[in-house]
Amino acid sequence: SLYSGFWASCGRNCVFNSCYFGTIFYMKENLLTPPPDVTSQVGQSLLTGLVGGLVATAFKMPFDIVKSRMQSQLPDAVTGKFEYTSV
């Protein structure tokens, strides 16, 4: 169906976005000093984005697996029912 895995996708995206932006803001507020120039600012943004992406990806992977399994499942040949019906 068109919406299979919809709620799993919503959950995955909520987890990813909260971890990603939360990590970036936490690092900028608590771990790093304000950059003195534009070059340092770009480097700091790349660093915080990299770390934020790594943390967020680690936390979203279980949700991504659920989403992928729900979206790729086929109905049983005998019963016509899906193995996974909800999150």
Side-chain angles (χ1 to χ4, degrees):
S1 125
L2 179 63
Y3 296 106
S4 65
F6 174 77
W7 292 113
S9 294
C10 289
R12 179 199 62 171
N13 291 341
C14 289
V15 169
F16 181 85
N17 288 334
S18 61
C19 289
Y20 179 71
F21 291 112
T23 301
I24 287 173
F25 289 121
Y26 178 81
M27 287 181 67
K28 285 188 176 183
E29 292 291 322
N30 298 313
L31 301 178
L32 302 171
T33 59
D37 57 8
V38 175
T39 304
S40 298
Q41 185 177 6
V42 169
Q44 190 178 76
S45 293
L46 289 172
L47 174 68
T48 56
L50 174 70
V51 173
L54 291 172
V55 169
T57 299
F59 280 97
K60 75 141 178 140
M61 285 312 292
F63 295 92
D64 194 49
I65 291 169
V66 169
K67 175 203 67 84
S68 297
R69 286 185 180 179
M70 290 185 75
Q71 288 178 335
S72 66
Q73 68 181 338
L74 297 172
D76 185 76
V78 176
T79 64
K81 297 186 178 194
F82 290 108
E83 183 177 1
Y84 309 109
T85 56
S86 69
V87 179

